[in-house]
Amino acid sequence: MDKLKENQAAYYPGCALLTIDRAYNNSSKLVSKKMGIELVEIPDYNCCGIGEMKSKGAASMYLPLRNMMIAKNRLGSKNLVMACSVCYHEFSRSINRVKENQNELTAVNEIFKEAGEFKEEYIPDGEARHILEFLYNEKGVEEVKKNVVKPLKGLKVAPYYGCLYSRPSMYTFTDKKPKMDNSERPRFMHEFLEALGAETVFYGNEVQCCGGRNVVQDEETSFTLCSQTISKAKKAGADVIALICPKCAGALDVNQPKIVEKFGKDSELPIVYLTQLMALAFGFSKKEAEFSDMISEPLKVLNEKGF
Amino acid sequence: MAIEKHDKENSGGGRPVAEKGEHIVARHLIEDDNIKEEKNLVIDGVDVSGRWNTFIISRVDSDFDRSFFEEIKKTVVGSRINRCWQCGMCTASCTVTPLYRRFNPRAFIYMMQLGNLRELKKYIDVAWRCVGCYKCSQRCPKQVNPAEMMEALALVMKKYFSEEVKTKLKLDEEVKTIYEDMIIGHGRLDLAKLHTSAMQKSGRTKEMLGKIERGAIFEMVKDGRAFSVLRLGKPHNWSSSKEAIENYLHKLKTIENSEAGV
Ligand code: SF4
Ligand code: SF4
């Protein structure tokens, strides 16, 4: 595989985006390209560990770091862009932990050595970047505005950041590095949405947790948290909730019919990905933005509003 | 301290009966058994009935074990336990505490610091509810990283109360195993399979045939997402990584077992 050109970035798709969440994957690629950066998937990627391996020491760090090695070796890129907040968390966590702790770095490199896939040792010199932060800092709000051909006038959006995009700052460096978003009150998605011509609503649950990790083994907790978020956004007048993480989608979108069954119609509100709305405003069709993939049926409200 | 119930005349004046310890601030932090409440209470021979008829027996930790502290510190997730100064910020910011009042990261960390297994054991039923939202770690003034301390807590639970874990944490453990087998075994997650296996494990296969569940599955089959996992396969050369990870985990386990004297 060839090394990247200047207007290309190494991209980690992760497991969800190539399957169930293809709408997020494809719309991320569409809007990035429109803004002047082509996302190039790293070949042969493996699962980031999705938070389930944390207690397994170096094994949990090897998983994301193997992908960093691929990006460097095959595409010549130290950095890796990703759209899933859970992947982003696992990558940032691993890079920072081995940076801080020589023993952990040694343990990870022993696994690398034994696997024998790469000639060099892993050196923590690259970064994982969440697509929202990446587009915001590399291209900026002006570039978004420039590309809007169909402003989302009259659409009220509740931006939902969830947890791992901005927390904890010991891994994400939000609040700590210049140019990073704020951990308690992130703004990047707000600014993007407003640049699209949409109206953002304040509803208080922007950085609340969806309980996504517990979706399978502890529905009780997850559903309660989701219902709180959806009903608050609805009460604040939102037409849709915009997401930046497929795990949040699993909790808020895929499970929404069950949540409504349990908590009633107050917990019913269409869910979309931020990049789908961006694609729509950039002139791509609703079909290209794959709104029909969402279980919560955002197409109804989008049609009603005349988009 | 001797506590006796002083049986004076029973007034029975028709006043509403309060719940035990109802007026104690942060009542949920105190166990029922530790609250003594009598109409007429005599402590050490002194009649303290009247306004002062509630007494909280102090918790005395006599069987704690400091070596425990070192044990947890050695794990990657629990490595910052020594920094905690028990300010309670983690519990104050926790997403789960308002839903389950007995879920208390500060208290769990305290019990782990003391190695108080007897107390910890009482919380097996809620200890696994952490959603990993990292609010606690964001706000902890000492950067203890309590979110990962909750992972360390799970390690403790598994190691010392394996029997209870088998019954009380059954589903959590089984789902974790499904994840782990997929992540290490195949290098990638098959989300659809993960979901169906977990539903099977929890005996909820019937639900999958229900209207809601079927609706979502039907949508995904119709638009092709349900089958997209098939073409994904494994990463090339994954087997060498798989072997190296398994060897590492095996070594990790051997060290743990020899330390625990298993
Ligand atoms: S916030 Fe940090 S220092 Fe305070 S009690 Fe929790 S873990 Fe300890
Ligand atoms: S990570 Fe767990 S312990 Fe920390 S705030 Fe979230 S739910 Fe509470």
Side-chain angles (χ1 to χ4, degrees):
Chain A
M1 216 159 177
D2 291 337
K3 304 289 181 217
L4 295 179
K5 296 189 197 79
E6 211 189 307
N7 58 348
Q8 292 180 320
Y11 173 71
Y12 173 77
C15 306
L17 277 93
L18 286 194
T19 56
I20 294 181
D21 295 277
R22 63 177 185 191
Y24 190 22
N25 190 51
N26 298 341
S27 58
S28 293
K29 286 184 174 169
L30 284 180
V31 300
S32 299
K33 193 151 190 189
K34 208 69 206 194
M35 289 171 77
I37 300 183
E38 189 192 348
L39 300 178
V40 180
E41 261 173 40
I42 60 163
D44 226 18
Y45 81 93
N46 65 273
C47 171
C48 68
I50 191 174
E52 297 295 330
M53 302 278 292
K54 273 187 190 139
S55 59
K56 306 279 177 189
S60 74
M61 294 180 248
Y62 172 81
L63 292 168
L65 297 182
R66 179 180 173 273
N67 298 302
M68 293 302 285
M69 284 287 250
I70 295 175
K72 202 166 165 181
N73 270 277
R74 307 277 293 269
L75 298 178
S77 173
K78 282 183 189 171
N79 298 340
L80 198 47
V81 181
M82 53 207 71
C84 168
S85 300
V86 183
C87 299
Y88 171 61
H89 168 75
E90 286 287 348
F91 276 76
S92 316
R93 171 180 181 268
S94 303
I95 295 168
N96 286 306
R97 293 214 67 141
V98 296
K99 233 186 223 172
E100 269 178 20
N101 188 320
Q102 182 62 39
N103 290 343
E104 284 165 23
L105 179 60
T106 309
V108 167
N109 268 322
E110 265 161 31
I111 306 181
F112 269 119
K113 202 168 155 198
E114 199 180 326
E117 211 178 333
F118 308 97
K119 282 194 221 82
E120 308 88 29
E121 289 215 318
Y122 170 76
I123 311 161
D125 58 353
E127 273 179 36
R129 303 191 63 181
H130 191 284
I131 188 140
L132 173 57
E133 177 273 317
F134 174 75
L135 289 178
Y136 186 91
N137 279 320
E138 297 305 320
K139 289 294 164 182
V141 179
E142 285 313 310
E143 186 67 35
V144 172
K145 279 191 190 147
K146 229 164 67 191
N147 280 301
V148 173
V149 294
K150 213 162 70 184
L152 304 180
K153 282 270 169 297
L155 188 70
K156 288 187 178 170
V157 186
Y160 185 72
Y161 294 87
C163 308
L164 300 176
Y165 158 74
S166 65
R167 285 196 303 262
S169 56
M170 62 168 70
Y171 296 148
T172 58
F173 292 97
T174 40
D175 311 323
K176 294 194 169 152
K177 274 193 197 163
K179 291 176 79 181
M180 293 298 278
D181 217 338
N182 185 295
S183 292
E184 300 282 347
R185 300 195 70 175
R187 289 296 302 171
F188 289 0
M189 183 161 26
H190 285 77
E191 287 185 38
F192 270 14
L193 287 165
E194 281 154 19
L196 300 179
E199 189 186 322
T200 55
V201 302
F202 175 81
Y203 62 110
N205 265 33
E206 289 80 353
V207 295
Q208 183 57 292
C209 180
C210 66
R213 185 170 84 173
N214 295 26
V215 140
V216 190
Q217 55 269 60
D218 184 14
E219 268 186 11
E220 194 186 346
T221 304
S222 177
F223 285 10
T224 309
L225 295 172
C226 288
S227 134
Q228 287 169 358
T229 293
I230 300 173
S231 57
K232 275 190 180 178
K234 190 165 185 167
K235 216 167 159 198
D239 299 313
V240 293
I241 294 179
L243 306 180
I244 50 167
C245 170
K247 201 136 180 175
C248 298
L252 291 159
D253 181 58
V254 179
N255 274 339
Q256 198 175 109
K258 287 193 195 169
I259 297 166
V260 173
E261 192 179 52
K262 192 159 176 216
F263 292 93
K265 290 275 180 195
D266 282 350
S267 302
E268 191 170 43
L269 195 64
I271 309 285
V272 294
Y273 284 108
L274 168 70
T275 47
Q276 287 180 297
L277 292 181
M278 288 171 82
L280 187 66
F282 287 1
F284 295 101
S285 67
K286 279 174 278 187
K287 202 167 171 216
E288 283 168 300
E290 293 170 303
F291 284 108
S292 62
D293 270 13
M294 309 310 279
I295 302 292
S296 54
E297 301 183 12
L299 273 174
K300 265 189 212 157
V301 63
L302 292 176
N303 288 339
E304 265 170 38
K305 297 246 164 193
F307 296 114
Chain B
M1 203 173 280
I3 298 170
E4 315 147 19
K5 192 175 172 199
H6 185 58
D7 238 344
K8 275 195 220 160
E9 77 288 290
N10 228 328
S11 55
R15 277 165 59 191
V17 185
E19 292 268 328
K20 192 175 183 184
E22 193 184 59
H23 48 292
I24 300 175
V25 181
R27 165 70 181 87
H28 60 280
L29 296 175
I30 302 156
E31 298 216 11
D32 251 8
D33 294 349
N34 284 10
I35 298 173
K36 285 289 164 209
E37 206 173 54
E38 308 289 350
K39 242 197 192 93
N40 303 302
L41 188 67
V42 175
I43 295 177
D44 287 347
V46 180
D47 186 342
V48 292
S49 37
R51 278 180 73 88
W52 301 99
N53 65 347
T54 299
F55 184 75
I56 303 168
I57 300 174
S58 53
R59 222 172 32 198
V60 180
D61 285 315
S62 50
D63 57 350
F64 65 81
D65 171 9
R66 290 293 277 186
S67 66
F68 208 71
F69 192 87
E70 293 303 322
E71 186 183 327
I72 290 169
K73 226 174 114 186
K74 258 187 238 151
T75 66
V76 173
V77 276
S79 56
R80 290 163 178 251
I81 187 168
N82 55 337
R83 291 169 161 232
C84 174
W85 59 10
Q86 290 290 305
C87 67
M89 193 54 138
C90 47
T91 303
S93 24
C94 180
T95 302
V96 169
T97 306
L99 305 179
Y100 311 99
R101 300 310 296 261
R102 287 170 64 249
F103 184 90
N104 186 333
R106 182 204 57 78
F108 295 154
I109 293 170
Y110 182 60
M111 293 170 206
M112 282 194 272
Q113 283 183 328
L114 297 181
N116 192 338
L117 291 172
R118 182 175 41 86
E119 279 293 315
L120 271 176
K121 199 173 175 179
K122 294 180 187 161
Y123 295 88
I124 287 187
D125 58 329
V126 286
W128 54 283
R129 294 218 192 237
C130 168
V131 289
C133 67
Y134 280 82
K135 262 196 192 162
C136 49
S137 304
Q138 178 64 34
R139 295 184 186 160
C140 168
K142 298 283 282 174
Q143 297 223 308
V144 175
N145 203 351
E148 289 183 19
M149 287 295 310
M150 295 307 104
E151 302 278 337
L153 176 67
L155 288 176
V156 173
M157 298 265 165
K158 265 181 257 180
K159 185 163 166 188
Y160 293 96
F161 317 123
S162 57
E163 276 313 304
E164 287 81 359
V165 164
K166 264 184 215 149
T167 49
K168 296 216 167 167
L169 285 165
K170 195 165 175 283
L171 185 59
D172 194 48
E173 275 305 292
E174 283 177 347
V175 172
K176 270 204 152 49
T177 312
I178 302 173
Y179 269 115
E180 205 176 304
D181 289 349
M182 268 190 201
I183 294 170
I184 300 173
H186 301 279
R188 286 174 190 167
L189 278 190
D190 179 339
L191 293 158
K193 200 165 153 203
L194 173 84
H195 181 72
T196 44
S197 317
M199 293 295 264
Q200 270 163 4
K201 281 274 182 211
S202 52
R204 292 165 60 189
T205 24
K206 255 206 188 126
E207 225 172 280
M208 284 197 292
L209 302 172
K211 203 172 133 234
I212 292 181
E213 193 84 19
R214 235 180 27 214
I217 293 172
F218 178 71
E219 282 297 322
M220 291 188 191
V221 170
K222 198 175 71 181
D223 62 29
R225 277 176 289 166
F227 298 115
S228 57
V229 282
L230 294 177
R231 67 169 164 75
L232 214 54
K234 274 190 205 185
H236 302 294
N237 309 322
W238 182 247
S239 57
S240 65
S241 280
K242 174 176 176 270
E243 231 169 82
I245 294 171
E246 278 170 347
N247 285 343
Y248 168 82
L249 292 179
H250 185 73
K251 265 185 263 166
L252 201 69
K253 191 135 205 135
T254 321
I255 297 170
E256 263 172 27
N257 286 347
S258 71
E259 272 168 8
V262 178

